[in-house]
Amino acid sequence: MTSLNIGLIGTGYMGKCHALAWNAVAAVFGDVARPRLAVLAEHSQELAETKAQELGFVRATGDWRSLVNDPAVDVVSITTPNAFHPEMAIAALEAGKHVWCEKPMATKLADAERMLAAARASGKVAALGYNYIQNPTIRLMRRLIDEGQIGKVNHVRLEMDEDFMADPEALFYWKSEASSGHGALDDFGVHPLSLVWTLFGGVRRVCGHMAKPYADRPVQGGGRRSVETYDIATVLMELDSGVSGVMALNRSAWGRKGRIALQLFGSKGTIVYDQERMNEVQLYTVDRVKETQGFRTILTGPQHPPYDKFIPAPGHGLGFNDLKIIECRELIRRIGGESAHLIEFEDGIRIERTVDAIARSAYEGRWVEV
Amino acid sequence: MTSLNIGLIGTGYMGKCHALAWNAVAAVFGDVARPRLAVLAEHSQELAETKAQELGFVRATGDWRSLVNDPAVDVVSITTPNAFHPEMAIAALEAGKHVWCEKPMATKLADAERMLAAARASGKVAALGYNYIQNPTIRLMRRLIDEGQIGKVNHVRLEMDEDFMADPEALFYWKSEASSGHGALDDFGVHPLSLVWTLFGGVRRVCGHMAKPYADRPVQGGGRRSVETYDIATVLMELDSGVSGVMALNRSAWGRKGRIALQLFGSKGTIVYDQERMNEVQLYTVDRVKETQGFRTILTGPQHPPYDKFIPAPGHGLGFNDLKIIECRELIRRIGGESAHLIEFEDGIRIERTVDAIARSAYEGRWVEV
Amino acid sequence: MTSLNIGLIGTGYMGKCHALAWNAVAAVFGDVARPRLAVLAEHSQELAETKAQELGFVRATGDWRSLVNDPAVDVVSITTPNAFHPEMAIAALEAGKHVWCEKPMATKLADAERMLAAARASGKVAALGYNYIQNPTIRLMRRLIDEGQIGKVNHVRLEMDEDFMADPEALFYWKSEASSGHGALDDFGVHPLSLVWTLFGGVRRVCGHMAKPYADRPVQGGGRRSVETYDIATVLMELDSGVSGVMALNRSAWGRKGRIALQLFGSKGTIVYDQERMNEVQLYTVDRVKETQGFRTILTGPQHPPYDKFIPAPGHGLGFNDLKIIECRELIRRIGGESAHLIEFEDGIRIERTVDAIARSAYEGRWVEV
Amino acid sequence: MTSLNIGLIGTGYMGKCHALAWNAVAAVFGDVARPRLAVLAEHSQELAETKAQELGFVRATGDWRSLVNDPAVDVVSITTPNAFHPEMAIAALEAGKHVWCEKPMATKLADAERMLAAARASGKVAALGYNYIQNPTIRLMRRLIDEGQIGKVNHVRLEMDEDFMADPEALFYWKSEASSGHGALDDFGVHPLSLVWTLFGGVRRVCGHMAKPYADRPVQGGGRRSVETYDIATVLMELDSGVSGVMALNRSAWGRKGRIALQLFGSKGTIVYDQERMNEVQLYTVDRVKETQGFRTILTGPQHPPYDKFIPAPGHGLGFNDLKIIECRELIRRIGGESAHLIEFEDGIRIERTVDAIARSAYEGRWVEV
């Protein structure tokens, strides 16, 4: 396979994560050409140059449009704030580039639909950065479900909680403004929904509720400002398959740091998972012997691919950044024409539509069809 | 204090549990007169006599009406199937007895309302068997909340799960008949709602959903019969205080044996609890020192009354039956005219009304005011 | 079966625990005659009378000798401080009573040997209060081991830790005096050794080490006094079967409240246990399917007798005091001539000899044969 | 800082791990010159070339001596089997290279001492690959201990367990041959001892015991061969500071995959850790408020450097390979003349001497001074 030329826009949280993945993917997997880290864009030339040196990119630019139009670029990693995704992704696709865009697609459903249209028109790969689905634990769960090891799934519980908004005296900032979206629902909800999509497919009907733990927050310089977004969201769901679901989201959840919890109940067993212990899966399956029944804690290891590409010994632990390396490998596979374990715009739009339906449902106080 | 004379109706699961409590309460607490185990009623005289001997009752009867009218009886423990509660409780109250009736009050709200009326008319103590609220962990939680240790609570999650209905090939029995109630909602829901009542008070609005994991079940002798009740229920809630809540119930949850899980989020901290580890509470509170923040696992001990009445050393563990002994002591306290930590008919009716509202909400597919 | 007449000496921690067990055993098990709580002895007549009323004993005495010689007494529960065990147990046995004596037998091995001789001479049942072996979890472990479910056991790790001596500024009291024994070794060591005895049998060779976390402690009224006992003990062991063992004990272990932890490694699996979660056993067994291997957390239930005598539903939890009720039932079984799951003086002496050998080993800094 | 030129010998488990670290260190930390991956050596030119391409090295060689003598190489990563370490490390040091050699130093103490002499003579940096000490959790523990947060430490427990030798019917291979060393003691023991060294310093006296779970193993082609090494080791220890320690090692421990467990008891608190949950530390410290005391589970985050260099959000999880990247940064720091958190030959020899003393102690059945 020939080497891919990479352009990266943004070097914040996920920008660095993409850069680390592009740096590592060839050495970890050993079966792909080493990507060429071609161009890095930041909002100033100066910052771009500093970051290009740190992250190993050959060139730097303060103008992202020059990057997406650069003939030396094959793939564009888009890691800027969500509001910029539509413009950048559409420009890159129109310039004939493959796109790897961080989730969610956009802050408004209409923009996401436009992005999908651009992807279809371009014929290029348009992938989303849903790295949690890359955890070998999730692949294991899907295999267990597909093989019927917990029977027919009939009930699903989803939670996602962090505490970065939990302090009521933290200053008002953009995440409390209505322009940023609904709140926990779109900020967090796409993650558990990406797992639902990967494991079960789509959602049919929803009934949501949203709450503000704090009515207002202090403003820099004095005074307080009303909070416009909802840090808490709860949702009743029916999946396409008819399965009963419930989802709870809270970005003001003191003590929770990166909790994405699943409970999957089936006719023959149960799976329980929490991303805060990302190398473990709890599995209960019905046995003939009742005395020794119990949830088993499965530690991931080389028997759960592609863990084996990272470490030959079991139980030694992958980290968050490793998930992006796996995603990067899947993207390369997809660009090469192979089937890949990846959420592309075609599927991602389903997640965005579900979020939109939940929001409408919450505002209107009723069940809504997705 | 003079000794109370006890009549017990029923000797199944909870009947034995009541008998053990009446046997133990004086020795455990050391500050009450030893109850006199006067009369035991079962559906036949023979069974009643066998059980009276086992459980230490002086007399036995195959006729529960003779028990409730016996002048030698002060308190009647009612532990029969739920459908019998109204008739027995009302008869006992009308006969001037105190009543200790297992939860829920009745299978229909109208019956529960009649029981409440009888209790009011009698002026006697009419207490419900909500033993989970007696766990020292729940008292600890209430104290922590009342003292503001987790700040103002803004979000509550409740779960209750067991797996006694999880096997799809288990024979159809009465719990799958509509006459038994709605399903998990009334079978389980009253327990987490009793904890909500104890910790926070009432529920204002609800939106429920119910699901059947299995459409039908095999019938003894061959063939299959449609299941009429819902083993799964999910509920969005707003508490009277405006707090956002969500509840999930599943009596077909493989691997769960006695899970009653709470997550209580506040402006200064979080409490997490699971009845399957009934001697532990998880508490996170905000500290100035960020490096050592984390959920602490509190093991109950003598510093959590009335644990100290059972064991002088911490971390040694109370059991399920001990909770009923505590409840029994509270009942005696209440009969003696003291204030007690107990759910009486006056409060229990609030729980029954909430369950009824959830059921209506689920059948009608909309939010309902309690 | 005819009713047994019970005499109880002591009403402290374990005295109350015995009283609760004698009160409950008939109601819990339903297959034994209700014991007659005949006489209670305390160090004063007044205290004895108060406690007799609380705990349900018919008569009271300030003179334990009158109790052991009382013709109306069949069994004597001895729950006084360890130093009194020899005199009381020997007197009771010589008076023809069955004895139920709390562990350990004595503070000196020679005294324990005399107690054994008295038991042999009397022909009466002489049982020790090793209640942890009564946990259904321990019976489950023994069954699993006997059935070969973890193959041939080859390595055993034992820990026991509490923190009642952990505060270095707690006042000097008798547990820091040499006359009380060696320290954690005899105070705690007998418990894990009772589990080893129950699961595997005896110990062949030992090499111990003991340490003092605090050189001295404050004395009431001022000044400090040198600590004479060892709050920490560590031991290498070879069991009779040749199995490699290691034991660590610490009664100054901050945060540990009732930890008695086992790790049992075999050729086909592993068992892990911690008494602080006394209703759980961790079991790993080798499976053909590698992807789903893991430790399973078994919650005790009715399938683990005699849990079923307490609660018909699984996962609801036994407590510490329930273990003594089970032990009481075993004692009654044994007195009735049946085989019982119990550590009698004949076996208990093996534990005491092991403790003695470890102490010698630690003082002499070398391996010692038991 | 000018760029370092890297030579890597070996591309197995730890060879790949080194390569990943050299690839990633500049992008993760952003404050070091990007290393130049100059030469890779494997046992054949062909394998070397394949691996050089995968892992991003410029040149390849089938002759490690040419690598260590290559003027274009500044640092040599040695990741070959332990028996090769002395020859390679000494040659590299004599050629004026810095050395980063995987642990342990050698299979014989005399060889390790020669390596130390060569390091001293060279004046170059000679670092060992003890990556577990690089976990931010271990740095947190050291800080907590240094700050006195658990008071004066008085007792330490260490465990290391995996199950790659647990199957008794796995074929005999070199790890069961005496020439490979003693067994678990040197294979595993150096890891917990590296943590002890990092947290507390040296060990003064030891008393060890070693056991063979399986007397023989099947040989390829039929028959069985006696096992010559000890898969289980247990050790009593006194640290230089007088602290009491105990260590247990088992490489036949079914179900354990990467367990390295610490329990550190002090006069004011306790720390508990298990590498299988490498992003968590359990901490108990004494509080004035007894009702809410408990072990807190600390999830690592940006407040635990250098976690922040990998991920800006807490609780998202580092992985095993990240530890080597941290170690790599420390090595670069050290080569640059700064102080670093690293075990060099000067300190590593203390660990090897401790292992040697434990082995002698076990063979001779007595306490030995280190």
Side-chain angles (χ1 to χ4, degrees):
Chain A
M1 182 191 268
T2 56
S3 178
L4 288 171
N5 293 286
I6 311 306
L8 169 66
I9 313 179
T11 60
Y13 186 165
M14 293 315 294
K16 182 168 179 177
C17 190
H18 276 236
L20 293 176
W22 286 120
N23 265 286
V25 65
V28 168
F29 283 90
D31 59 355
V32 292
R34 182 161 284 253
R36 222 183 122 260
L37 280 56
V39 196
L40 181 152
E42 257 297 350
H43 47 68
S44 79
Q45 181 70 29
E46 194 183 353
L47 179 59
E49 279 173 15
T50 303
K51 288 293 175 184
Q53 189 169 18
E54 282 177 29
L55 301 174
F57 281 76
V58 177
R59 278 187 294 127
T61 175
D63 169 24
W64 67 264
R65 289 194 179 275
S66 78
L67 182 151
V68 300
N69 290 308
D70 191 326
V73 167
D74 301 314
V75 187
V76 181
S77 275
I78 300 173
T79 71
T80 49
N82 305 341
F84 296 96
H85 293 177
E87 189 179 12
M88 291 174 174
I90 292 168
L93 289 162
E94 287 178 352
K97 313 304 188 194
H98 302 295
V99 164
W100 187 16
C101 180
E102 272 307 302
K103 65 92 220 166
M105 293 172 77
T107 55
K108 287 175 196 156
L109 181 56
D111 287 335
E113 300 280 5
R114 286 198 302 121
M115 290 165 75
L116 173 59
R120 285 178 177 164
S122 76
K124 292 293 169 178
V125 175
L128 288 161
Y130 277 114
N131 42 315
Y132 293 118
I133 70 166
Q134 301 300 341
N135 194 332
T137 53
I138 304 297
R139 297 190 186 196
L140 171 63
M141 286 182 218
R142 191 163 91 177
R143 232 194 65 199
L144 293 174
I145 293 166
D146 290 351
E147 289 173 6
Q149 296 221 22
I150 60 165
K152 194 174 166 306
V153 172
N154 50 56
H155 182 44
V156 170
R157 292 189 199 152
L158 312 166
E159 295 171 272
M160 180 162 177
D161 302 303
E162 297 192 14
D163 65 3
F164 63 87
M165 303 283 278
D167 184 352
E169 293 310 309
L171 289 180
F172 189 102
Y173 80 124
W174 65 269
K175 287 224 174 192
S176 292
E177 281 185 65
S179 64
S180 72
H182 312 293
L185 174 58
D186 35 345
D187 201 16
F188 277 10
V190 292
H191 281 304
L193 289 172
S194 76
L195 300 178
V196 167
W197 175 259
T198 302
L199 298 173
F200 304 108
V203 174
R204 185 166 72 192
R205 296 175 69 229
V206 293
C207 183
H209 183 268
M210 301 199 295
K212 295 175 186 171
Y214 313 123
D216 51 37
R217 285 183 177 277
V219 178
Q220 186 117 35
R224 302 183 75 86
R225 179 172 165 187
S226 290
V227 169
E228 298 162 5
T229 54
Y230 300 85
D231 293 343
I232 295 167
T234 49
V235 190
L236 306 182
M237 302 191 297
E238 282 178 13
L239 305 193
D240 280 351
S241 55
V243 164
S244 143
V246 65
M247 178 166 73
L249 311 168
N250 187 359
R251 58 184 189 184
S252 291
W254 276 122
R256 300 305 194 193
K257 306 302 180 182
R259 178 170 168 89
I260 306 178
L262 305 183
Q263 295 179 71
L264 314 176
F265 299 98
S267 59
K268 291 187 183 167
T270 298
I271 291 172
V272 176
Y273 175 71
D274 179 355
Q275 173 71 21
E276 282 185 1
R277 287 183 172 163
M278 62 176 275
N279 290 288
E280 299 181 12
V281 175
Q282 306 282 330
L283 172 68
Y284 185 98
T285 52
V286 184
D287 254 356
R288 235 157 305 157
V289 184
K290 302 225 166 178
E291 287 82 353
T292 52
Q293 293 261 73
F295 275 94
R296 49 180 78 191
T297 302
I298 303 167
L299 281 176
T300 48
Q303 70 275 35
H304 307 112
Y307 177 105
D308 56 311
K309 298 297 183 184
F310 293 83
I311 316 164
H316 282 52
L318 299 189
F320 175 82
N321 285 337
D322 295 330
L323 304 184
K324 191 55 84 180
I325 301 174
I326 300 174
E327 192 177 67
C328 188
R329 179 67 189 87
E330 293 298 317
L331 175 66
I332 295 172
R333 204 184 297 280
R334 180 64 183 80
I335 290 172
E338 297 171 75
S339 74
H341 179 71
L342 208 57
I343 294 182
E344 300 182 50
F345 287 14
E346 284 288 348
D347 296 334
I349 198 73
R350 298 287 303 267
I351 295 170
E352 313 268 334
R353 286 175 195 153
T354 304
V355 164
D356 186 68
I358 296 168
R360 279 184 287 128
S361 154
Y363 293 126
E364 300 169 14
R366 59 178 188 85
W367 282 85
V368 166
E369 308 282 318
V370 177
Chain B
M1 182 190 265
T2 55
S3 179
L4 289 170
N5 293 285
I6 311 306
L8 168 67
I9 313 179
T11 59
Y13 187 166
M14 293 316 294
K16 182 167 179 178
C17 190
H18 275 236
L20 293 176
W22 286 120
N23 266 285
V25 66
V28 168
F29 282 90
D31 59 356
V32 292
R34 183 161 283 257
R36 223 181 121 259
L37 280 57
V39 196
L40 182 152
E42 257 296 352
H43 47 67
S44 78
Q45 180 70 29
E46 193 184 356
L47 179 59
E49 279 172 14
T50 304
K51 288 293 175 184
Q53 189 169 20
E54 281 178 29
L55 301 174
F57 280 76
V58 177
R59 280 184 295 126
T61 174
D63 169 23
W64 66 265
R65 290 191 180 275
S66 79
L67 181 151
V68 301
N69 290 307
D70 192 325
V73 167
D74 301 314
V75 188
V76 180
S77 275
I78 301 173
T79 70
T80 49
N82 304 341
F84 295 97
H85 292 180
E87 188 178 15
M88 290 174 174
I90 291 169
L93 287 163
E94 288 178 351
K97 313 303 188 194
H98 303 294
V99 163
W100 187 16
C101 180
E102 271 308 301
K103 65 89 224 170
M105 293 172 76
T107 55
K108 287 174 195 157
L109 182 57
D111 288 336
E113 301 279 6
R114 287 197 302 120
M115 290 165 76
L116 173 60
R120 283 178 178 167
S122 77
K124 292 292 168 179
V125 175
L128 289 161
Y130 276 114
N131 43 315
Y132 293 119
I133 70 166
Q134 302 299 341
N135 195 332
T137 54
I138 303 298
R139 297 189 185 199
L140 171 63
M141 285 183 221
R142 192 163 90 176
R143 232 193 65 198
L144 294 173
I145 292 166
D146 290 351
E147 289 173 6
Q149 295 220 23
I150 61 165
K152 194 175 167 306
V153 172
N154 50 56
H155 183 45
V156 170
R157 294 190 198 149
L158 312 165
E159 295 172 273
M160 181 162 176
D161 302 303
E162 298 192 13
D163 65 2
F164 63 86
M165 303 283 279
D167 183 353
E169 293 309 310
L171 289 180
F172 189 101
Y173 79 125
W174 64 270
K175 286 225 175 193
S176 292
E177 280 187 65
S179 63
S180 72
H182 312 291
L185 175 58
D186 36 345
D187 201 14
F188 277 9
V190 293
H191 281 304
L193 289 172
S194 75
L195 300 178
V196 167
W197 174 258
T198 301
L199 298 173
F200 304 108
V203 174
R204 186 166 72 191
R205 298 174 69 228
V206 293
C207 184
H209 184 268
M210 301 198 296
K212 295 176 184 171
Y214 314 123
D216 52 36
R217 287 184 174 278
V219 178
Q220 186 118 34
R224 301 185 75 86
R225 179 171 165 188
S226 290
V227 168
E228 298 161 6
T229 54
Y230 300 85
D231 293 343
I232 295 168
T234 50
V235 189
L236 306 182
M237 301 191 296
E238 283 176 14
L239 306 194
D240 281 351
S241 56
V243 165
S244 142
V246 64
M247 179 166 75
L249 312 168
N250 188 358
R251 58 186 191 184
S252 292
W254 275 122
R256 301 306 193 192
K257 305 302 180 182
R259 178 171 167 89
I260 306 179
L262 304 183
Q263 295 180 73
L264 314 177
F265 299 98
S267 58
K268 291 187 185 168
T270 298
I271 291 172
V272 176
Y273 175 72
D274 179 355
Q275 172 72 21
E276 281 185 0
R277 287 182 173 164
M278 62 175 275
N279 290 287
E280 298 180 15
V281 175
Q282 306 283 330
L283 172 68
Y284 184 98
T285 52
V286 184
D287 255 355
R288 237 158 302 159
V289 184
K290 301 225 164 176
E291 287 81 354
T292 51
Q293 293 262 71
F295 275 94
R296 51 180 75 191
T297 302
I298 303 167
L299 281 176
T300 48
Q303 70 274 35
H304 306 112
Y307 177 106
D308 55 310
K309 298 298 184 185
F310 293 83
I311 316 164
H316 282 53
L318 298 189
F320 175 82
N321 285 338
D322 295 330
L323 304 184
K324 192 55 86 183
I325 301 174
I326 300 175
E327 193 177 65
C328 188
R329 179 66 188 86
E330 294 297 317
L331 174 65
I332 294 172
R333 205 185 296 280
R334 180 65 183 80
I335 290 173
E338 296 170 76
S339 75
H341 179 73
L342 209 57
I343 294 182
E344 300 182 50
F345 287 13
E346 283 289 347
D347 296 334
I349 197 74
R350 297 287 303 267
I351 295 171
E352 312 269 333
R353 287 174 194 154
T354 304
V355 164
D356 186 69
I358 296 169
R360 279 183 289 128
S361 155
Y363 292 126
E364 299 170 14
R366 60 178 186 86
W367 282 85
V368 167
E369 308 282 319
V370 177
Chain C
M1 182 192 267
T2 56
S3 178
L4 288 170
N5 292 285
I6 311 305
L8 168 66
I9 312 178
T11 60
Y13 187 165
M14 294 315 295
K16 181 167 179 177
C17 191
H18 276 237
L20 293 176
W22 286 120
N23 266 286
V25 66
V28 168
F29 282 90
D31 60 355
V32 291
R34 182 161 284 255
R36 221 182 123 261
L37 280 57
V39 196
L40 181 151
E42 256 297 351
H43 46 69
S44 77
Q45 180 71 26
E46 194 184 355
L47 179 60
E49 280 173 14
T50 304
K51 289 292 174 184
Q53 189 168 19
E54 282 177 29
L55 301 174
F57 280 77
V58 177
R59 279 185 295 126
T61 174
D63 169 23
W64 66 265
R65 289 194 180 275
S66 79
L67 182 151
V68 301
N69 289 308
D70 192 324
V73 167
D74 300 315
V75 187
V76 180
S77 274
I78 300 173
T79 70
T80 49
N82 304 342
F84 295 96
H85 293 178
E87 189 179 13
M88 291 173 173
I90 291 169
L93 289 162
E94 288 179 351
K97 313 303 187 193
H98 302 295
V99 163
W100 188 15
C101 180
E102 273 307 303
K103 67 89 222 167
M105 294 173 77
T107 56
K108 287 176 197 156
L109 182 56
D111 287 335
E113 301 279 6
R114 286 198 301 122
M115 290 165 76
L116 173 60
R120 285 178 177 165
S122 77
K124 292 293 169 178
V125 175
L128 288 160
Y130 277 114
N131 43 316
Y132 293 118
I133 70 166
Q134 301 300 341
N135 195 332
T137 54
I138 304 297
R139 297 190 185 196
L140 171 63
M141 286 182 219
R142 191 163 93 177
R143 231 194 65 200
L144 294 173
I145 293 166
D146 289 351
E147 289 173 7
Q149 295 220 24
I150 61 164
K152 194 175 166 305
V153 172
N154 50 57
H155 182 45
V156 170
R157 293 190 199 151
L158 313 166
E159 295 172 272
M160 181 163 176
D161 302 303
E162 298 192 12
D163 65 2
F164 61 88
M165 304 283 280
D167 184 353
E169 294 309 309
L171 289 179
F172 190 101
Y173 80 125
W174 65 270
K175 286 224 174 192
S176 291
E177 281 186 64
S179 64
S180 72
H182 312 292
L185 175 57
D186 35 346
D187 200 16
F188 277 10
V190 292
H191 281 304
L193 289 172
S194 76
L195 300 178
V196 167
W197 174 259
T198 301
L199 297 172
F200 304 108
V203 174
R204 185 167 72 192
R205 295 175 69 228
V206 293
C207 183
H209 184 268
M210 302 198 296
K212 294 175 186 172
Y214 313 123
D216 51 38
R217 286 183 177 277
V219 179
Q220 186 119 35
R224 300 185 76 85
R225 179 171 165 187
S226 290
V227 169
E228 297 162 5
T229 55
Y230 299 85
D231 292 344
I232 295 167
T234 49
V235 189
L236 306 181
M237 301 190 297
E238 283 177 13
L239 306 193
D240 280 352
S241 55
V243 165
S244 143
V246 64
M247 178 167 73
L249 312 169
N250 187 0
R251 59 185 189 183
S252 292
W254 275 122
R256 300 305 194 193
K257 306 302 180 183
R259 179 170 167 89
I260 306 179
L262 305 183
Q263 295 180 73
L264 314 177
F265 299 99
S267 58
K268 291 187 183 168
T270 297
I271 291 171
V272 176
Y273 176 72
D274 179 355
Q275 172 72 19
E276 282 185 0
R277 288 182 171 164
M278 62 175 275
N279 289 287
E280 299 181 12
V281 175
Q282 306 283 331
L283 172 68
Y284 184 100
T285 52
V286 184
D287 255 355
R288 236 158 303 159
V289 184
K290 301 224 165 179
E291 287 81 354
T292 52
Q293 292 261 72
F295 275 95
R296 50 180 78 190
T297 301
I298 304 166
L299 280 176
T300 48
Q303 69 275 36
H304 306 113
Y307 177 105
D308 56 310
K309 298 297 182 184
F310 292 83
I311 316 165
H316 282 51
L318 298 189
F320 175 81
N321 285 337
D322 294 330
L323 305 183
K324 190 58 82 181
I325 301 174
I326 301 174
E327 192 177 68
C328 187
R329 178 68 189 85
E330 293 298 316
L331 175 66
I332 295 171
R333 205 185 296 279
R334 180 64 182 82
I335 290 172
E338 296 170 76
S339 75
H341 178 73
L342 209 56
I343 294 183
E344 300 181 49
F345 287 14
E346 284 288 347
D347 295 334
I349 198 74
R350 296 287 303 267
I351 295 171
E352 312 268 334
R353 285 175 195 154
T354 304
V355 165
D356 186 69
I358 295 169
R360 279 183 287 129
S361 154
Y363 293 126
E364 298 170 14
R366 60 180 187 84
W367 283 85
V368 166
E369 309 282 320
V370 177
Chain D
M1 182 191 267
T2 55
S3 178
L4 289 170
N5 292 285
I6 312 305
L8 169 66
I9 313 179
T11 61
Y13 186 166
M14 293 315 295
K16 182 168 179 177
C17 190
H18 275 236
L20 293 175
W22 286 119
N23 266 285
V25 67
V28 168
F29 283 90
D31 60 355
V32 292
R34 183 161 283 256
R36 222 182 122 260
L37 280 55
V39 196
L40 181 152
E42 258 295 351
H43 47 68
S44 78
Q45 181 70 29
E46 193 183 356
L47 179 59
E49 278 172 13
T50 303
K51 288 293 175 184
Q53 190 168 19
E54 282 177 27
L55 300 175
F57 281 77
V58 177
R59 279 186 294 126
T61 174
D63 170 23
W64 66 265
R65 288 192 180 275
S66 79
L67 181 151
V68 300
N69 290 307
D70 192 325
V73 167
D74 301 315
V75 188
V76 181
S77 275
I78 301 173
T79 71
T80 49
N82 304 340
F84 296 97
H85 292 179
E87 187 178 14
M88 290 174 174
I90 291 169
L93 288 162
E94 287 177 352
K97 313 303 188 194
H98 303 294
V99 163
W100 187 17
C101 181
E102 272 308 304
K103 67 88 224 171
M105 294 172 75
T107 55
K108 287 174 195 157
L109 181 57
D111 287 335
E113 301 279 6
R114 285 197 303 119
M115 291 165 75
L116 172 61
R120 284 176 178 169
S122 76
K124 292 291 169 180
V125 175
L128 289 161
Y130 276 114
N131 43 316
Y132 293 118
I133 70 166
Q134 301 299 341
N135 194 332
T137 53
I138 304 296
R139 297 189 186 199
L140 171 62
M141 285 182 219
R142 193 164 89 176
R143 232 195 65 198
L144 293 174
I145 293 166
D146 289 352
E147 290 174 6
Q149 295 219 23
I150 61 165
K152 194 175 166 305
V153 172
N154 50 56
H155 182 44
V156 169
R157 293 189 198 151
L158 312 165
E159 295 173 272
M160 180 164 177
D161 302 302
E162 297 191 14
D163 66 2
F164 61 87
M165 304 283 279
D167 183 353
E169 293 310 309
L171 289 180
F172 188 101
Y173 80 124
W174 63 270
K175 287 226 175 192
S176 292
E177 281 186 64
S179 63
S180 72
H182 312 291
L185 175 57
D186 36 346
D187 201 14
F188 278 9
V190 292
H191 280 305
L193 289 172
S194 76
L195 300 178
V196 167
W197 174 259
T198 301
L199 298 173
F200 304 108
V203 174
R204 186 166 72 193
R205 296 174 69 227
V206 293
C207 183
H209 183 268
M210 301 199 297
K212 295 175 185 172
Y214 313 123
D216 51 38
R217 287 183 176 278
V219 179
Q220 186 118 36
R224 301 185 75 87
R225 180 172 163 187
S226 291
V227 169
E228 297 161 6
T229 55
Y230 300 85
D231 293 343
I232 295 167
T234 49
V235 188
L236 307 181
M237 301 191 296
E238 283 177 14
L239 306 194
D240 280 351
S241 55
V243 165
S244 143
V246 63
M247 180 166 73
L249 312 167
N250 187 359
R251 59 185 191 184
S252 291
W254 274 121
R256 300 305 193 194
K257 305 302 180 182
R259 179 171 167 89
I260 306 179
L262 304 184
Q263 295 180 73
L264 314 177
F265 299 99
S267 58
K268 291 186 184 168
T270 298
I271 292 171
V272 175
Y273 175 73
D274 179 354
Q275 172 72 21
E276 281 184 2
R277 287 182 172 165
M278 62 175 276
N279 290 286
E280 299 180 15
V281 175
Q282 307 283 330
L283 172 68
Y284 185 98
T285 52
V286 183
D287 255 354
R288 237 158 304 156
V289 185
K290 302 223 164 177
E291 287 81 354
T292 52
Q293 293 262 72
F295 275 95
R296 50 180 76 192
T297 302
I298 303 167
L299 281 177
T300 47
Q303 70 274 34
H304 307 112
Y307 176 105
D308 56 311
K309 299 297 183 184
F310 292 83
I311 316 164
H316 282 52
L318 299 189
F320 175 81
N321 285 338
D322 295 330
L323 304 184
K324 191 55 87 182
I325 301 174
I326 301 175
E327 192 176 67
C328 188
R329 178 67 189 87
E330 294 297 317
L331 175 65
I332 294 172
R333 204 184 297 280
R334 180 64 183 81
I335 289 173
E338 297 170 75
S339 76
H341 178 74
L342 210 56
I343 294 181
E344 299 182 50
F345 286 14
E346 284 288 346
D347 296 334
I349 198 74
R350 298 288 302 268
I351 295 171
E352 312 270 333
R353 286 175 196 154
T354 305
V355 164
D356 186 69
I358 296 168
R360 279 183 288 128
S361 154
Y363 293 126
E364 299 170 14
R366 60 178 186 86
W367 282 85
V368 166
E369 309 281 320
V370 177

